[in-house]
Amino acid sequence: MNLLLMGPPGAGKGTQSKRLEGVFGLVQLSTGDMLRAAVKSGSDLGRKAQAIMERGDLVPDDLIIDMISARIEEPDCANGFILDGFPRTVPQAEALAVMLAEKGGKLDHVIELAVDDDAMVQRITGRYTCAGCGQGYHDEFEKPATEGVCDKCGGTEFTRRADDTEDTVRNRLNAYHEQTAPILAYYKEQGVLKDVDGMADIDAVTDQLKGVIGGA
Ligand code: AMP
């Protein structure tokens, strides 16, 4: 089974993908995570993507399509995957359809996390991650039990994404509405688009997603 979670930055695609991985035995494919790893490693792709990501613009389609088409050929994708952050443009969606058709696969569910833009700025600018284990926190909504200490691994170092600043978030939201939202119509026409209320609390969103996916 292959899933695609759609929604603007901050909608909860990453959080929910991680939860669904375990439930359905799928692998999360986050193009944002892959690009951040490329930037960190200093690869050719990383050098090309870094400044674009810091501005909150979209990395060119050809680079993204090459990156994801290589990734879905890896053995851990054989049981299916959850796409998080890809496709983000109509040409990417079309390229994905070709890739899946070549493998004899398809997208079983495209699910939009419906959210309120204004709330996204607050969600994103407050989020941070444990540098040791990757556990996510938020300045207001999800603090660790002891301030400065990770609940999960006891680590005391935390990181914030370079593009989680207010100006960049607004640019990322614009990019979503201008370049990514048109994909929703593309999937609606194909009859595979469903939506869930992404403003509900994290567990309730997971339950809604399980209902949509499990009920297919
Ligand atoms: P994300 O972690 O999904 O919020 O992505 C972070 C940044 O990586 C985005 O703001 C873009 O600059 C870049 N990016 C991630 N996925 C894509 C994609 N599918 N197409 C173009 N740029 C992307």
Side-chain angles (χ1 to χ4, degrees), residues 84-148:
D84 157 14
F86 173 87
R88 254 177 161 98
T89 63
V90 172
Q92 290 183 17
E94 289 167 348
L96 173 64
V98 173
M99 279 177 228
L100 291 171
E102 277 168 0
K103 289 167 67 77
K106 65 181 171 75
L107 283 177
D108 295 279
H109 300 281
V110 179
I111 309 172
E112 180 191 4
L113 299 174
V115 290
D116 189 7
D117 258 29
D118 291 338
M120 294 307 103
V121 178
Q122 197 190 8
R123 267 197 198 176
I124 297 180
T125 54
R127 69 188 183 182
Y128 61 97
T129 307
C130 170
C133 72
Q135 176 68 25
Y137 294 99
H138 192 281
D139 292 326
E140 281 173 62
F141 310 134
E142 210 181 338
K143 300 180 186 177
T146 308
E147 204 188 321

Side-chain angles (χ1 to χ4, degrees), residues 62-81:
D62 55 339
L63 298 180
I64 298 289
I65 292 165
D66 287 351
M67 180 179 80
I68 201 89
S69 64
R71 181 66 186 88
I72 64 174
E73 291 304 324
E74 287 177 31
D76 63 335
C77 291
N79 277 338
F81 41 76

